[in-house]
Amino acid sequence: MTGRRLAAGEDSMADELGFGQPMGGVAQTAFIVPDLRAAIGHWVRDMKAGPFFVLPNLLTPGQTYRGNESTADIALAMGFAGHMLIELIQPLDDNPSVYRETRKLRGWGFHHLGIACADVDAASADYQTRGYHEAYRAAVPTGGEVVYLDNGSGPASGFLELLPVTPGMNETFTRFWEASRDWDGSNPIRPFG
């Protein structure tokens, strides 16, 4: 069976996102890092991923962490390795967060897998019937809210992030992926917007 790819700006009814990952499947792998620029350099040099698009601050109002208001601030960079979106996250403070939890338990490194969802709230409810609970929720600049889920082992083995597939998300991530195709290594750090 051949699936249909979601075009930039289109509603999320296709089987595949514009950057080639499946709806409902893993679309992103994320890592927490102590130094965003150094991490980008490592991914560009050693994994041939990139270019990376940087958002220097993401402190959104209305964040919740384990049921309480959160004021965690992060910088992030996104770039592609093939069709996989790589997210690098540098915590900018030590406020309570899913990032601090992981860092205190096992240090820097893998943090979560992002699942592409047409309806984050419905997907969260479904995961909760399987023993997951919401550890973190926040609005994102590409539209909607992300939800990090924990099945009791999130800080130890990684969280699941539900990514809202909005037209803005698909357009932005597809643009990042297109920049990675036949990329010659120049200008490896670029603005997010």
Side-chain angles (χ1 to χ4, degrees):
M1 180 173 113
T2 305
R4 189 173 69 75
R5 185 170 280 187
L6 184 65
E10 184 179 359
D11 286 332
S12 56
M13 301 312 291
D15 297 329
E16 189 175 279
L17 298 165
F19 52 94
Q21 291 297 83
M23 275 297 289
V26 176
Q28 176 196 85
T29 304
F31 303 85
I32 53 173
V33 300
D35 181 317
L36 196 61
R37 287 190 174 271
I40 291 169
H42 169 68
W43 277 87
V44 167
R45 181 183 60 253
D46 299 339
M47 272 72 82
K48 307 299 183 222
F52 281 84
F53 296 83
V54 175
L55 191 60
N57 290 92
L58 184 59
L59 176 56
T60 59
Q63 297 178 64
T64 58
Y65 164 64
R66 302 217 179 262
N68 297 308
E69 182 181 359
S70 175
T71 57
D73 191 9
I74 61 170
L76 65 83
M78 293 183 169
F80 275 87
H83 288 280
M84 180 59 63
L85 179 62
I86 304 300
E87 181 179 30
L88 306 173
I89 302 165
Q90 178 185 337
L92 298 175
D93 58 40
D94 203 32
N95 294 342
S97 70
V98 288
Y99 312 110
R100 184 177 85 167
E101 243 185 280
T102 299
R103 204 172 67 244
K104 286 189 176 281
L105 182 66
R106 61 180 168 82
W108 305 104
F110 173 73
H111 188 261
H112 66 263
L113 294 172
I115 309 294
C117 298
D119 184 335
V120 167
D121 291 328
S124 179
D126 178 56
Y127 274 98
Q128 288 178 53
T129 66
R130 294 183 267 157
Y132 287 83
H133 61 274
E134 288 190 10
Y136 177 72
R137 181 182 279 260
V140 291
T142 55
E145 293 182 317
V146 295
V147 171
Y148 286 43
L149 298 169
D150 184 358
N151 66 355
S153 65
S157 61
F159 294 91
L160 287 182
E161 178 186 25
L162 303 178
L163 298 166
V165 176
T166 64
M169 175 272 218
N170 190 50
E171 183 279 323
T172 300
F173 294 176
T174 300
R175 179 171 47 87
F176 295 172
W177 173 68
E178 287 171 347
S180 74
R181 299 176 68 198
D182 300 320
W183 178 52
D184 64 4
S186 62
N187 194 17
I189 298 176
R190 303 176 183 189
F192 193 90

